Amino acid sequence: MRPGQAKRPPSAIRYCDRRDAVRTACLAITQLVIATQSLVYAQSPAPPITDVAFTPDGNAIVAVSQSGLQIYRWPSLDLQRTVLDLRGTVEVDASNLHCVAFSSDGSHVAIGGGEPSQSGSVEIFPWPLSSEAQTTEAKFSRSQRLTGHDDSVRAIVWLGPTSIASASLDRTIIRWDLAGDPHRQQTLRGHSRSIHALAAFDVTSKSNPQASTSVSKTVRTGLISGGDDRSIRVWELMPEAGSSPLRRTLHQHTAAINDLATRANGNGLPMVASASADRSIRFWQPTIGRMVRYVRLPAVPLVVAWLDDKHLVTGCDDGQVRLIDTVNVQVIETLPVLEGWVYSLAVSAKQDNDPRTSIVVGGSGGQLRSLDFTIPEKLAR
């Protein structure tokens, strides 16, 4: 979740314990989509759940907020334990957590946050946190704290098992080499205001017809970033030092960019979706700088995620989740799921021979809700 800073609720929020009450309801949502919803309530008031992620094994959810990092069993959403209690159980650098992401090999989890207008940091922990064997076998066996930002970190993305990028309200992106010394590898500058969203894509995809044989042998990773300056910037990260990594700047949005998501396993050129406060979601081919299409919504999309190569789900500031057909660029279903804003969203990996796609959303009142989507074949084709 990467909404604009100015619209975030006050940081002085009274903490409270969660109530382990789970309510399940089955809803028939027209003849197009069937969704099963379950909701875990938090006693009011509670800090917004700023980001959620499925664990690598798919059996749990991790959620970050001002209360720290909590683990919930999936799919019941029962609170399993609080891993990082920012009130003193575990010493951490940031008192405000905004983002969480697992490494590509599932061996580590990264948490980003910081002190507003003072500092930003990323902390890396071996995963699972309770496994001594995993800690011993990890590529870097102890937790690491990456500091260097002058304001809170709002987005992180893994570039490889030992490489990560972080975007901050200080208008910079830092590329970190976790196996190197020092860890900071590169600082990217170009945005004129705070950055809220970051996504990676493969520049040398086999489906990219513009990638020559000689160039494709070089490891080339692309980054796309967006924030309060209304611009989307495309960066190309090369292993060797050289020219500026900024490749192009895209200006079609008329308000802040809240979130970015890269389509996985799609055909053709890489595709990235951008959600903006201008109430639109736009679809880009970043390797050539082209906007392919866009869809306008009746509410502000705060977070987006791909369900498959043709369908996208977005959580909005009206508490509703919308399912979008990205080919025909239309909303095919709207689900009222939370009171307040949908701050965060994650999609579970599909199980073999299971037509359902599961998602979990986090709300501004500390709620978590799960939904199971079944998209009929006539829509999936």
Side-chain angles (χ1 to χ4, degrees), residues 303-328:
V303 60
V304 289
W306 292 86
L307 296 177
D308 52 39
D309 61 351
K310 298 179 182 178
H311 298 93
L312 189 87
V313 64
T314 180
C316 301
D317 66 351
D318 60 356
Q320 301 193 63
V321 166
R322 291 171 169 86
L323 182 62
I324 297 172
D325 177 345
T326 66
V327 176
N328 299 305

mmCIF file of all heavy atoms in Angstrom, residues 303-328:
data_model
loop_
_atom_site.group_PDB
_atom_site.id
_atom_site.type_symbol
_atom_site.label_atom_id
_atom_site.label_comp_id
_atom_site.label_asym_id
_atom_site.label_seq_id
_atom_site.Cartn_x
_atom_site.Cartn_y
_atom_site.Cartn_z
ATOM 1 N N VAL A 303 -4.092 0.325 -3.770
ATOM 2 C CA VAL A 303 -3.190 -0.820 -3.904
ATOM 3 C C VAL A 303 -3.701 -1.703 -5.025
ATOM 4 O O VAL A 303 -4.919 -1.812 -5.241
ATOM 5 C CB VAL A 303 -3.105 -1.595 -2.564
ATOM 6 C CG1 VAL A 303 -4.455 -2.118 -2.139
ATOM 7 C CG2 VAL A 303 -2.085 -2.714 -2.628
ATOM 8 N N VAL A 304 -2.778 -2.313 -5.788
ATOM 9 C CA VAL A 304 -3.159 -3.169 -6.911
ATOM 10 C C VAL A 304 -2.317 -4.440 -6.893
ATOM 11 O O VAL A 304 -1.181 -4.449 -6.408
ATOM 12 C CB VAL A 304 -2.973 -2.468 -8.272
ATOM 13 C CG1 VAL A 304 -4.006 -1.382 -8.456
ATOM 14 C CG2 VAL A 304 -1.565 -1.916 -8.425
ATOM 15 N N ALA A 305 -2.882 -5.518 -7.442
ATOM 16 C CA ALA A 305 -2.153 -6.785 -7.581
ATOM 17 C C ALA A 305 -2.782 -7.571 -8.720
ATOM 18 O O ALA A 305 -4.001 -7.509 -8.950
ATOM 19 C CB ALA A 305 -2.197 -7.590 -6.283
ATOM 20 N N TRP A 306 -1.939 -8.300 -9.452
ATOM 21 C CA TRP A 306 -2.417 -9.139 -10.549
ATOM 22 C C TRP A 306 -2.920 -10.463 -10.000
ATOM 23 O O TRP A 306 -2.253 -11.105 -9.175
ATOM 24 C CB TRP A 306 -1.300 -9.386 -11.545
ATOM 25 C CG TRP A 306 -0.883 -8.165 -12.309
ATOM 26 C CD1 TRP A 306 0.032 -7.220 -11.928
ATOM 27 C CD2 TRP A 306 -1.371 -7.749 -13.588
ATOM 28 N NE1 TRP A 306 0.146 -6.246 -12.879
ATOM 29 C CE2 TRP A 306 -0.700 -6.537 -13.922
ATOM 30 C CE3 TRP A 306 -2.292 -8.272 -14.489
ATOM 31 C CZ2 TRP A 306 -0.937 -5.852 -15.111
ATOM 32 C CZ3 TRP A 306 -2.526 -7.602 -15.676
ATOM 33 C CH2 TRP A 306 -1.855 -6.403 -15.980
ATOM 34 N N LEU A 307 -4.102 -10.898 -10.482
ATOM 35 C CA LEU A 307 -4.598 -12.235 -10.170
ATOM 36 C C LEU A 307 -4.052 -13.256 -11.165
ATOM 37 O O LEU A 307 -3.727 -14.377 -10.805
ATOM 38 C CB LEU A 307 -6.134 -12.255 -10.211
ATOM 39 C CG LEU A 307 -6.841 -11.395 -9.169
ATOM 40 C CD1 LEU A 307 -8.347 -11.457 -9.392
ATOM 41 C CD2 LEU A 307 -6.503 -11.858 -7.754
ATOM 42 N N ASP A 308 -4.001 -12.864 -12.422
ATOM 43 C CA ASP A 308 -3.406 -13.659 -13.480
ATOM 44 C C ASP A 308 -2.987 -12.679 -14.571
ATOM 45 O O ASP A 308 -2.952 -11.470 -14.341
ATOM 46 C CB ASP A 308 -4.365 -14.746 -13.998
ATOM 47 C CG ASP A 308 -5.731 -14.185 -14.401
ATOM 48 O OD1 ASP A 308 -5.771 -13.077 -14.990
ATOM 49 O OD2 ASP A 308 -6.745 -14.844 -14.149
ATOM 50 N N ASP A 309 -2.684 -13.174 -15.772
ATOM 51 C CA ASP A 309 -2.178 -12.262 -16.797
ATOM 52 C C ASP A 309 -3.260 -11.406 -17.440
ATOM 53 O O ASP A 309 -2.953 -10.527 -18.260
ATOM 54 C CB ASP A 309 -1.406 -13.030 -17.876
ATOM 55 C CG ASP A 309 -2.281 -14.050 -18.591
ATOM 56 O OD1 ASP A 309 -3.424 -14.285 -18.145
ATOM 57 O OD2 ASP A 309 -1.819 -14.618 -19.599
ATOM 58 N N LYS A 310 -4.540 -11.597 -17.050
ATOM 59 C CA LYS A 310 -5.630 -10.822 -17.635
ATOM 60 C C LYS A 310 -6.493 -10.107 -16.604
ATOM 61 O O LYS A 310 -7.338 -9.281 -16.985
ATOM 62 C CB LYS A 310 -6.521 -11.736 -18.492
ATOM 63 C CG LYS A 310 -5.809 -12.367 -19.674
ATOM 64 C CD LYS A 310 -6.749 -13.280 -20.446
ATOM 65 C CE LYS A 310 -6.019 -13.950 -21.606
ATOM 66 N NZ LYS A 310 -6.910 -14.885 -22.343
ATOM 67 N N HIS A 311 -6.324 -10.425 -15.324
ATOM 68 C CA HIS A 311 -7.200 -9.863 -14.308
ATOM 69 C C HIS A 311 -6.391 -9.228 -13.186
ATOM 70 O O HIS A 311 -5.364 -9.759 -12.761
ATOM 71 C CB HIS A 311 -8.131 -10.937 -13.733
ATOM 72 C CG HIS A 311 -9.048 -11.526 -14.761
ATOM 73 N ND1 HIS A 311 -8.737 -12.654 -15.467
ATOM 74 C CD2 HIS A 311 -10.265 -11.119 -15.217
ATOM 75 C CE1 HIS A 311 -9.717 -12.941 -16.309
ATOM 76 N NE2 HIS A 311 -10.655 -12.018 -16.177
ATOM 77 N N LEU A 312 -6.899 -8.097 -12.723
ATOM 78 C CA LEU A 312 -6.247 -7.311 -11.684
ATOM 79 C C LEU A 312 -7.249 -7.065 -10.568
ATOM 80 O O LEU A 312 -8.459 -6.951 -10.810
ATOM 81 C CB LEU A 312 -5.788 -5.968 -12.265
ATOM 82 C CG LEU A 312 -4.906 -5.085 -11.388
ATOM 83 C CD1 LEU A 312 -3.439 -5.460 -11.577
ATOM 84 C CD2 LEU A 312 -5.102 -3.607 -11.752
ATOM 85 N N VAL A 313 -6.760 -6.993 -9.345
ATOM 86 C CA VAL A 313 -7.617 -6.637 -8.218
ATOM 87 C C VAL A 313 -7.054 -5.382 -7.564
ATOM 88 O O VAL A 313 -5.836 -5.209 -7.468
ATOM 89 C CB VAL A 313 -7.721 -7.807 -7.211
ATOM 90 C CG1 VAL A 313 -6.371 -8.123 -6.573
ATOM 91 C CG2 VAL A 313 -8.758 -7.508 -6.133
ATOM 92 N N THR A 314 -7.934 -4.483 -7.151
ATOM 93 C CA THR A 314 -7.504 -3.236 -6.525
ATOM 94 C C THR A 314 -8.334 -2.956 -5.284
ATOM 95 O O THR A 314 -9.540 -3.248 -5.252
ATOM 96 C CB THR A 314 -7.619 -2.053 -7.509
ATOM 97 O OG1 THR A 314 -7.189 -0.854 -6.866
ATOM 98 C CG2 THR A 314 -9.049 -1.857 -7.997
ATOM 99 N N GLY A 315 -7.699 -2.401 -4.259
ATOM 100 C CA GLY A 315 -8.379 -1.957 -3.057
ATOM 101 C C GLY A 315 -8.433 -0.437 -3.055
ATOM 102 O O GLY A 315 -7.444 0.229 -3.384
ATOM 103 N N CYS A 316 -9.591 0.129 -2.673
ATOM 104 C CA CYS A 316 -9.820 1.561 -2.849
ATOM 105 C C CYS A 316 -10.122 2.265 -1.527
ATOM 106 O O CYS A 316 -10.330 1.623 -0.487
ATOM 107 C CB CYS A 316 -10.964 1.784 -3.834
ATOM 108 S SG CYS A 316 -10.680 1.057 -5.465
ATOM 109 N N ASP A 317 -10.172 3.594 -1.604
ATOM 110 C CA ASP A 317 -10.384 4.390 -0.401
ATOM 111 C C ASP A 317 -11.836 4.407 0.055
ATOM 112 O O ASP A 317 -12.157 5.028 1.070
ATOM 113 C CB ASP A 317 -9.871 5.822 -0.599
ATOM 114 C CG ASP A 317 -10.661 6.603 -1.632
ATOM 115 O OD1 ASP A 317 -11.505 6.003 -2.336
ATOM 116 O OD2 ASP A 317 -10.439 7.831 -1.742
ATOM 117 N N ASP A 318 -12.732 3.725 -0.668
ATOM 118 C CA ASP A 318 -14.115 3.595 -0.221
ATOM 119 C C ASP A 318 -14.370 2.259 0.461
ATOM 120 O O ASP A 318 -15.518 1.874 0.703
ATOM 121 C CB ASP A 318 -15.076 3.779 -1.392
ATOM 122 C CG ASP A 318 -14.876 2.751 -2.510
ATOM 123 O OD1 ASP A 318 -13.933 1.935 -2.394
ATOM 124 O OD2 ASP A 318 -15.642 2.778 -3.485
ATOM 125 N N GLY A 319 -13.294 1.510 0.764
ATOM 126 C CA GLY A 319 -13.431 0.228 1.442
ATOM 127 C C GLY A 319 -13.851 -0.913 0.544
ATOM 128 O O GLY A 319 -14.190 -1.993 1.038
ATOM 129 N N GLN A 320 -13.796 -0.715 -0.768
ATOM 130 C CA GLN A 320 -14.236 -1.750 -1.692
ATOM 131 C C GLN A 320 -13.060 -2.315 -2.490
ATOM 132 O O GLN A 320 -12.081 -1.621 -2.752
ATOM 133 C CB GLN A 320 -15.290 -1.187 -2.643
ATOM 134 C CG GLN A 320 -16.508 -0.636 -1.905
ATOM 135 C CD GLN A 320 -17.678 -0.365 -2.822
ATOM 136 O OE1 GLN A 320 -18.228 -1.289 -3.444
ATOM 137 N NE2 GLN A 320 -18.087 0.880 -2.915
ATOM 138 N N VAL A 321 -13.202 -3.579 -2.846
ATOM 139 C CA VAL A 321 -12.250 -4.265 -3.716
ATOM 140 C C VAL A 321 -12.907 -4.437 -5.068
ATOM 141 O O VAL A 321 -14.070 -4.858 -5.171
ATOM 142 C CB VAL A 321 -11.849 -5.624 -3.118
ATOM 143 C CG1 VAL A 321 -11.143 -6.485 -4.156
ATOM 144 C CG2 VAL A 321 -10.948 -5.433 -1.911
ATOM 145 N N ARG A 322 -12.178 -4.101 -6.119
ATOM 146 C CA ARG A 322 -12.712 -4.192 -7.474
ATOM 147 C C ARG A 322 -11.876 -5.145 -8.316
ATOM 148 O O ARG A 322 -10.647 -5.081 -8.298
ATOM 149 C CB ARG A 322 -12.761 -2.803 -8.123
ATOM 150 C CG ARG A 322 -13.809 -1.893 -7.486
ATOM 151 C CD ARG A 322 -13.726 -0.464 -7.977
ATOM 152 N NE ARG A 322 -14.888 0.308 -7.542
ATOM 153 C CZ ARG A 322 -14.979 0.923 -6.348
ATOM 154 N NH1 ARG A 322 -13.953 0.859 -5.508
ATOM 155 N NH2 ARG A 322 -16.073 1.584 -6.018
ATOM 156 N N LEU A 323 -12.563 -6.008 -9.039
ATOM 157 C CA LEU A 323 -11.920 -6.949 -9.947
ATOM 158 C C LEU A 323 -11.990 -6.360 -11.348
ATOM 159 O O LEU A 323 -13.059 -5.959 -11.826
ATOM 160 C CB LEU A 323 -12.635 -8.296 -9.899
ATOM 161 C CG LEU A 323 -12.076 -9.420 -10.762
ATOM 162 C CD1 LEU A 323 -10.661 -9.766 -10.350
ATOM 163 C CD2 LEU A 323 -12.970 -10.648 -10.686
ATOM 164 N N ILE A 324 -10.842 -6.292 -12.029
ATOM 165 C CA ILE A 324 -10.744 -5.597 -13.305
ATOM 166 C C ILE A 324 -10.293 -6.554 -14.404
ATOM 167 O O ILE A 324 -9.322 -7.299 -14.237
ATOM 168 C CB ILE A 324 -9.764 -4.415 -13.202
ATOM 169 C CG1 ILE A 324 -10.296 -3.393 -12.192
ATOM 170 C CG2 ILE A 324 -9.532 -3.760 -14.559
ATOM 171 C CD1 ILE A 324 -9.312 -2.290 -11.882
ATOM 172 N N ASP A 325 -11.013 -6.530 -15.509
ATOM 173 C CA ASP A 325 -10.597 -7.209 -16.734
ATOM 174 C C ASP A 325 -9.641 -6.259 -17.438
ATOM 175 O O ASP A 325 -10.043 -5.208 -17.956
ATOM 176 C CB ASP A 325 -11.827 -7.496 -17.595
ATOM 177 C CG ASP A 325 -11.490 -8.144 -18.933
ATOM 178 O OD1 ASP A 325 -10.311 -8.128 -19.336
ATOM 179 O OD2 ASP A 325 -12.414 -8.634 -19.594
ATOM 180 N N THR A 326 -8.354 -6.614 -17.481
ATOM 181 C CA THR A 326 -7.349 -5.691 -18.014
ATOM 182 C C THR A 326 -7.305 -5.673 -19.533
ATOM 183 O O THR A 326 -6.719 -4.765 -20.117
ATOM 184 C CB THR A 326 -5.949 -6.055 -17.482
ATOM 185 O OG1 THR A 326 -5.544 -7.319 -17.993
ATOM 186 C CG2 THR A 326 -5.945 -6.103 -15.963
ATOM 187 N N VAL A 327 -7.915 -6.655 -20.173
ATOM 188 C CA VAL A 327 -7.942 -6.676 -21.638
ATOM 189 C C VAL A 327 -9.016 -5.732 -22.160
ATOM 190 O O VAL A 327 -8.783 -4.907 -23.043
ATOM 191 C CB VAL A 327 -8.175 -8.101 -22.159
ATOM 192 C CG1 VAL A 327 -8.289 -8.105 -23.685
ATOM 193 C CG2 VAL A 327 -7.044 -9.020 -21.708
ATOM 194 N N ASN A 328 -10.215 -5.831 -21.567
ATOM 195 C CA ASN A 328 -11.322 -4.970 -21.972
ATOM 196 C C ASN A 328 -11.425 -3.713 -21.108
ATOM 197 O O ASN A 328 -12.343 -2.915 -21.302
ATOM 198 C CB ASN A 328 -12.643 -5.740 -21.901
ATOM 199 C CG ASN A 328 -12.651 -6.948 -22.820
ATOM 200 O OD1 ASN A 328 -12.404 -6.822 -24.012
ATOM 201 N ND2 ASN A 328 -12.912 -8.125 -22.272
#
